[in-house]
Amino acid sequence: MSDSQVTIKLTSDEALVLSHWLEKLQMTDLSQVVDDPAVWAPIHRIAGTLDKTLHELFASDYEKRLEAARQRLRPED
């Protein structure tokens, strides 16, 4: 099996919300949530890539931006 790369495209809103969730996930005991340790490496890689890419993470109004992104992503009733 080759180690070919997979590209995932996210909107900035999706990336911001996913980054926040992954950060919370990594702060827990991953073994409690993810039953296969083989999944931990990709979780850390995705989170690290998002952290390097998202400038919003360091904005003074981060929480406001995060909530706005969440609102835009939630399905309308």
Side-chain angles (χ1 to χ4, degrees):
M1 175 181 246
S2 70
D3 280 344
S4 61
Q5 302 262 328
V6 173
T7 301
I8 299 171
K9 293 185 179 190
L10 301 171
T11 66
S12 57
D13 284 347
E14 291 168 336
L16 184 59
V17 170
L18 180 60
S19 174
H20 182 79
W21 183 81
L22 286 171
E23 181 67 27
K24 287 173 54 177
L25 176 66
Q26 291 180 101
M27 299 303 273
T28 68
D29 179 1
L30 278 179
S31 66
Q32 298 280 333
V33 180
V34 181
D35 62 350
D36 183 357
V39 179
W40 301 352
I43 287 172
H44 292 306
R45 179 180 286 238
I46 292 167
T49 300
L50 291 172
D51 286 352
K52 290 180 206 169
T53 306
L54 293 170
H55 303 286
E56 291 92 340
L57 297 176
F58 306 103
S60 60
D61 62 345
Y62 168 75
E63 291 295 329
K64 181 179 175 183
R65 291 178 187 216
L66 176 62
E67 186 53 37
R70 286 176 171 156
Q71 291 298 324
R72 287 188 292 270
L73 289 173
R74 287 187 180 121
E76 295 180 22
D77 293 333

